[in-house]
Amino acid sequence: MPSESASLSESVPEPPPHDPVDQLYRELELKIREYRPKDDLTALEKAFRFARKYHEGQMRDSGEPYMLHPVMVAHILADMRMDIVAMEAGLLHDVVEDTSVTVEQVRKEFGEEVARCVDGLTKLTKLDFSSAEDRQAESFRKMMLAMVEDIRVIMVKLADRIHNMRTLGYLDPERRERIARETIEIYAPIAHRLGMGKVRGELEDLAFQHLEPDAYREILEAIESRRHSNQEFLNEIKQAVESELRREGIPARIDGRVKRPYSVFQKLRRQKITVDQVYDLMALRIITDSVKNCYAGLGVIHNKWRPIPGRIKDFISIPRPNLYQSLHTSVVGPHGQTFEVQIRTEEMHRIAEEGIAAHWKYKEGRKGPAADDQRIAWLRHLVEWQRDVQDPAEFMSTLKVDLYPEEVYTFTPRGKVIVLPRDATPIDFAYAIHSDVGQTCVGAKVNGRIVPLRSPLRNGDVVEIMTQPGHEPSKDWLAFVKTSRARNKIKHVINASERIKAIEIGQKYLEKEARRLGVALGKATKGDLEEVASSYGYSKMEDLYAALGYGKFSARQVLVKIAPDAVKDESPEPKPGASVAGEPAVAGVTQPASMPGRPRDGDAVIKVRGMDDLLVYRAKCCNPIRGEAIVGYVTRGKGVAVHSKMCPNVQSLMYDVERKIEVEWARAAEDAFPVRIVIHTDDRPGMLNQLTSVLSDENTNIRSLEAKTEHDQDGGVVEMTVDVRDKKQLEKLVSAMRRISGVRDVERLFN
Ligand code: MN
């Protein structure tokens, strides 16, 4: 990180010819010329000058000019044989983050592809892994891959990390430790996932050196002290293998090498041994021309030296999830010393070292949308390879987030990753942290700004939940939460609080009804009531009260069981919902003859399937009429409300499946249902007459009618309530009205 801000001066003096940064850039051009002799480097040079201008005056912690860093990153990308766009992005990777340059400026100067890469890199830079909790590394890795649209962003990020790791020594111990840990937990595994063995190896060894300096030194010393004998030994077996292979006619290139410090360290840890007990610090790599010769080579090795059982691994027929292919074996060498042999083809070797980068490079001379084609080709290639892979789950799940973004990765303010389904909201986030946080959630800040609780979260969002003790979840939340955890918890709380109310209402209702009928409810009847409860299948009195409160049956039905005589003398019971616990009575509750002059719209018309003693009424909000699809909802204290399935309230009511109940229209067809309709008309004389004559043709009774003139719309509105027998009759009526010339629209009112 630079310690000074960039100079914005327009006139940067031309650097002297011995400028080390300039020199380094010229070397970069030479390096690229080697593998891309025909590429035009104008844009690259422009990117170099642009970045240098804006980083002017900034320094690295090493005291060197800042610009050395982006040029070195581009060098590493050139070593990876990346394309010009990737290297432009490498040169520009810190300008948006560390200077006044904007992404728009980069887009204008260098085009869409480069801008997209730089933007992606800037976003990754903003992720802070330092405060991440344990075992979250996997989520971070997935998130990084999920966030990048262009895989070159990852390439540049890895190159950036390699250079930072190479120069880590200049930082203070605390930052050094943090960056090294991040490297070993996040970046090295990403390189591994992408099959980039070389990058992974370098990152691991650099990080290891800083994280475990003592172990690192010990291993290095052990390797060093045996260097001479190791080298001699390697030369000896190398020659032996070479001559054996030549005799069999197998062309091969043979590499003798000492294993990497970190891989030795892992072996020590895995096998709980000391460095003196590690014998196979050395490995031989045979690179040949064909798969057939890989297996032939293995035969030659096993002929010459005894293989160690259980150490033969065939990653050719079963490649690793990251597409790695090779044959591995460990054998007992000439002086009883064991060593490992890897056998693979050139192509396999290239993929083992470079991974995704090997697939990335496109053929010389391709222009235009080549980059995208490449990426798609690579993915297709990958999918093809996956067919032959036995356990591709690990690798594919990583790529899945890239290909099918169905998860969203968010953070707590302290850096914990919360993985949620796509379009999850702050409420889901709150419940994912803790149910109590969800229950008492009153608001949310996303990236420091207050947002509505229903707003969908995006990758990388930092979410802060505001809570208020005692606050309760809202029923409305059910409309937008995405996780079942949040949904269940909200339902649970709502049901519990409704149940408490139902118990209270049920108990008062029973007491009131008992008083009215002169039935004494005291200690003497306690046992009787408990018996009634158990006859209904309830183990507790509370359950009986709740059932009364929900209106599953009436107080009378209960009381008749404990005092049959007192109840029998009484005729009809008053509405259970009426004035119980101060609740307003609901119009339309089943009451035979309770409303003279109005058609009966109670249980004679609607039946609850399988239950005859339930109180049923048509919900006022939608007033369903015969023939319409209906659904019942057990209310508290008011019986069963019957709604039209089309009713907008149904959706929000039916969150509680247990209170949903099947209802049907009873057979009796003589009843009529009041329906409110609104007719929008042209404002002309005689309109009302025509409307009423349609109604009388249909033998329909008009309960009320109101006509108004709408001056601003040059029309009239007629609102009326009419009695209809069923849905069919209503439809007939409406279409007859619509045929009247001058009628613009006919609507049924639900409220
Ligand atoms: Mn950087």
Side-chain angles (χ1 to χ4, degrees):
M1 284 290 163
S3 48
E4 293 164 39
S5 63
S7 157
L8 302 180
S9 106
E10 288 300 312
S11 55
V12 177
E14 200 55 35
H18 60 270
D19 178 355
V21 175
D22 208 57
Q23 173 71 30
L24 201 59
Y25 175 74
R26 294 299 148 209
E27 286 167 15
L28 173 68
E29 284 193 337
L30 292 176
K31 195 180 271 180
I32 298 166
R33 288 259 171 266
E34 278 175 31
Y35 71 97
R36 291 181 173 275
K38 289 174 199 152
D39 276 17
D40 181 2
L41 302 184
T42 317
L44 191 73
E45 179 156 10
K46 185 181 168 192
F48 168 65
R49 296 198 180 284
F50 185 92
R52 189 172 56 178
K53 174 176 144 190
Y54 286 96
H55 285 301
E56 180 67 33
Q58 296 179 336
M59 301 291 227
R60 291 278 285 175
D61 285 285
S62 61
E64 291 168 314
Y66 193 81
M67 196 54 202
L68 270 178
H69 167 65
V71 178
M72 276 313 296
V73 168
H75 261 276
I76 293 164
L77 289 164
D79 292 336
M80 289 156 72
R81 301 284 191 269
M82 293 303 291
D83 65 2
I84 303 295
V85 167
M87 279 177 287
E88 282 178 60
L91 289 171
L92 297 166
H93 81 270
D94 279 332
V95 290
V96 173
E97 177 68 15
D98 293 339
T99 78
S100 61
V101 174
T102 63
V103 175
E104 282 64 43
Q105 223 171 323
V106 174
R107 184 170 290 121
K108 209 178 119 229
E109 300 284 338
F110 302 98
E112 182 55 41
E113 271 186 291
V114 175
R116 197 175 54 208
C117 289
V118 172
D119 191 32
L121 284 155
T122 308
K123 280 186 190 142
L124 290 186
T125 307
K126 287 186 180 139
L127 297 178
D128 181 15
F129 302 111
S130 60
S131 50
E133 293 179 11
D134 282 353
R135 284 189 289 277
Q136 290 218 301
E138 176 60 20
S139 296
F140 271 105
R141 295 194 287 262
K142 275 179 147 188
M143 179 175 60
M144 280 193 68
L145 291 173
M147 276 176 73
V148 300
E149 290 167 32
D150 189 322
I151 199 77
R152 282 174 292 192
V153 170
I154 291 286
M155 303 295 139
V156 179
K157 192 71 200 166
L158 289 171
D160 178 40
R161 182 49 58 126
I162 288 172
H163 187 242
N164 285 337
M165 287 304 293
R166 285 178 188 167
T167 54
L168 199 60
Y170 295 103
L171 303 190
D172 59 74
E174 205 176 299
R175 281 170 69 200
R176 216 186 295 167
E177 148 108 29
R178 174 174 71 75
I179 292 173
R181 188 156 303 286
E182 203 176 279
T183 299
I184 214 149
E185 287 178 359
I186 312 289
Y187 291 95
I190 283 178
H192 180 47
R193 280 290 170 79
L194 299 175
M196 304 167 75
K198 219 154 88 183
V199 171
R200 171 205 179 190
E202 178 165 5
L203 288 175
E204 279 180 351
D205 283 341
L206 286 167
F208 172 49
Q209 187 180 339
H210 290 283
L211 290 172
E212 305 273 353
D214 294 341
Y216 180 78
R217 207 172 309 117
E218 193 192 350
I219 289 169
L220 222 58
E221 276 164 14
I223 293 169
E224 197 53 43
S225 71
R226 300 176 205 176
R227 179 173 295 280
H228 186 69
S229 57
N230 283 345
Q231 203 54 54
E232 258 177 19
F233 175 76
L234 274 178
N235 287 340
E236 185 188 339
I237 51 173
K238 204 173 142 182
Q239 275 171 11
V241 171
E242 255 166 5
S243 67
E244 293 287 327
L245 290 177
R246 206 177 311 120
R247 214 172 48 204
E248 298 294 324
I250 300 169
R253 182 158 63 84
I254 300 166
D255 263 348
R257 63 185 183 105
V258 174
K259 285 185 174 170
R260 292 189 292 111
Y262 187 64
S263 82
V264 174
F265 175 69
Q266 283 179 304
K267 191 185 178 104
L268 296 182
R269 225 171 23 180
R270 210 166 39 231
Q271 302 181 356
K272 296 190 170 62
I273 51 175
T274 65
V275 71
D276 306 310
Q277 295 169 283
V278 180
Y279 295 108
D280 49 352
L281 287 175
M282 289 147 297
L284 212 62
R285 187 175 289 149
I286 301 169
I287 294 160
T288 182
D289 61 341
S290 66
V291 171
K292 191 182 115 235
N293 278 336
C294 289
Y295 290 102
L298 187 70
V300 168
I301 298 291
H302 285 170
N303 246 340
K304 180 122 183 101
W305 296 292
R306 184 170 56 81
I308 298 170
R311 295 289 298 275
I312 306 163
K313 292 185 185 113
D314 182 356
F315 298 117
I316 289 180
S317 59
I318 303 168
R320 278 188 174 154
N322 65 6
L323 310 184
Y324 175 88
Q325 286 188 298
S326 197
L327 296 175
H328 290 189
T329 185
S330 285
V331 296
V332 183
H335 315 290
Q337 203 170 22
T338 58
F339 63 99
E340 193 190 90
V341 183
Q342 301 177 348
I343 310 171
R344 53 178 83 148
T345 65
E346 284 287 356
E347 170 75 3
M348 291 171 194
H349 182 56
R350 204 166 59 89
I351 288 165
E353 296 276 292
E354 299 167 9
I356 191 173
H359 298 275
W360 183 252
K361 296 167 206 164
Y362 54 80
K363 303 268 184 296
E364 285 305 319
R366 283 192 65 179
K367 292 274 180 261
D372 274 350
D373 284 354
Q374 273 299 309
R375 182 164 179 246
I376 292 158
W378 180 78
L379 289 171
R380 196 179 301 128
H381 190 81
L382 177 90
V383 171
E384 280 163 17
W385 279 49
Q386 290 298 334
R387 285 198 199 116
D388 306 324
V389 175
Q390 225 173 31
D391 180 24
E394 186 198 23
F395 190 48
M396 277 318 274
S397 68
T398 301
L399 273 149
K400 220 171 116 196
V401 287
D402 205 357
L403 294 171
Y404 316 100
E406 54 199 21
E407 287 174 334
V408 56
Y409 296 83
T410 57
F411 298 92
T412 66
R414 289 175 57 208
K416 184 180 178 185
V417 182
I418 305 288
V419 185
L420 296 167
R422 193 181 186 174
D423 291 334
T425 64
I427 297 288
D428 296 292
F429 183 95
Y431 276 100
I433 295 174
H434 196 278
S435 344
D436 291 345
V437 177
Q439 308 295 44
T440 56
C441 171
V442 289
K445 280 185 189 172
V446 170
N447 304 324
R449 294 174 62 180
I450 292 181
V451 300
L453 288 174
R454 57 166 64 238
S455 22
L457 298 174
R458 284 188 300 241
N459 271 326
D461 278 349
V462 176
V463 185
E464 194 181 332
I465 298 298
M466 294 174 274
T467 58
Q468 201 180 78
H471 189 267
E472 291 217 328
S474 155
K475 214 184 274 182
D476 301 340
W477 294 357
L478 293 167
F480 55 79
V481 291
K482 289 287 178 295
T483 53
S484 51
R485 180 186 165 86
R487 183 171 304 279
N488 293 339
K489 297 273 180 191
I490 296 166
K491 276 189 196 173
H492 184 78
V493 170
I494 292 173
N495 291 349
S497 74
E498 296 228 322
R499 187 178 143 85
I500 289 168
K501 283 184 205 154
I503 290 169
E504 199 188 313
I505 289 167
Q507 190 170 2
K508 282 187 182 155
Y509 170 36
L510 187 71
E511 283 165 2
K512 198 178 165 194
E513 194 59 8
R515 256 198 317 277
R516 198 177 65 81
L517 297 170
V519 179
L521 287 182
K523 275 184 184 155
T525 55
K526 195 169 172 271
D528 295 340
L529 276 174
E530 275 165 2
E531 227 168 83
V532 175
S534 81
S535 79
Y536 280 114
Y538 300 130
S539 56
K540 286 180 297 187
M541 272 307 291
E542 269 192 359
D543 297 333
L544 181 67
Y545 291 141
L548 282 166
Y550 283 134
K552 284 191 176 165
F553 36 81
S554 67
R556 214 178 122 89
Q557 285 172 288
V558 173
L559 291 171
V560 79
K561 293 190 181 177
I562 59 168
D565 298 337
V567 179
K568 260 178 200 155
D569 297 342
E570 265 289 320
S571 36
E573 171 186 23
K575 282 186 271 182
S579 70
V580 168
E583 295 257 336
V586 174
V589 169
T590 310
Q591 279 315 311
S594 67
M595 283 194 178
R598 276 192 64 170
R600 296 188 330 147
D601 49 4
D603 49 12
V605 182
I606 306 164
K607 254 179 63 189
V608 175
R609 212 163 278 168
M611 296 207 207
D612 288 332
D613 58 351
L614 280 193
L615 304 155
V616 181
Y617 69 96
R618 291 161 61 227
K620 220 186 164 192
C621 52
C622 54
N623 262 324
I625 59 170
R626 183 184 301 286
E628 268 190 299
I630 46 173
V631 59
Y633 182 72
V634 179
T635 65
R636 77 186 133 73
K638 292 178 250 164
V640 175
V642 175
H643 294 262
S644 155
K645 275 191 178 161
M646 305 289 286
C647 174
N649 288 340
V650 163
Q651 233 5 62
S652 56
L653 282 173
M654 294 304 167
Y655 68 87
D656 190 353
V657 234
E658 283 176 12
R659 288 168 63 181
K660 183 175 166 177
I661 198 159
E662 277 196 67
V663 288
E664 59 192 11
W665 296 100
R667 247 171 244 282
E670 294 314 307
D671 302 284
F673 302 86
V675 171
R676 281 168 72 206
I677 43 184
V678 173
I679 305 125
H680 298 269
T681 66
D682 291 343
D683 192 18
R684 62 174 177 80
M687 180 55 75
L688 214 52
N689 261 344
Q690 276 183 286
L691 286 171
T692 49
S693 74
V694 164
L695 289 165
S696 70
D697 287 352
E698 274 299 320
N699 233 339
T700 312
N701 177 39
I702 302 175
R703 291 190 171 208
S704 70
L705 187 147
E706 197 187 341
K708 285 183 294 191
T709 308
E710 280 187 327
H711 291 292
D712 52 335
Q713 282 172 35
D714 189 29
V717 175
V718 180
E719 211 181 300
M720 57 173 88
T721 305
V722 296
D723 284 339
V724 296
R725 278 189 308 278
D726 54 18
K727 198 180 164 210
K728 226 168 133 191
Q729 193 193 12
L730 179 67
E731 280 164 0
K732 215 170 148 193
L733 210 61
V734 167
S735 61
M737 287 178 175
R738 284 196 173 131
R739 278 195 302 270
I740 300 170
S741 109
V743 169
R744 296 171 184 173
D745 198 10
V746 183
E747 270 182 279
R748 177 174 171 201
L749 280 187
F750 284 103
N751 273 306

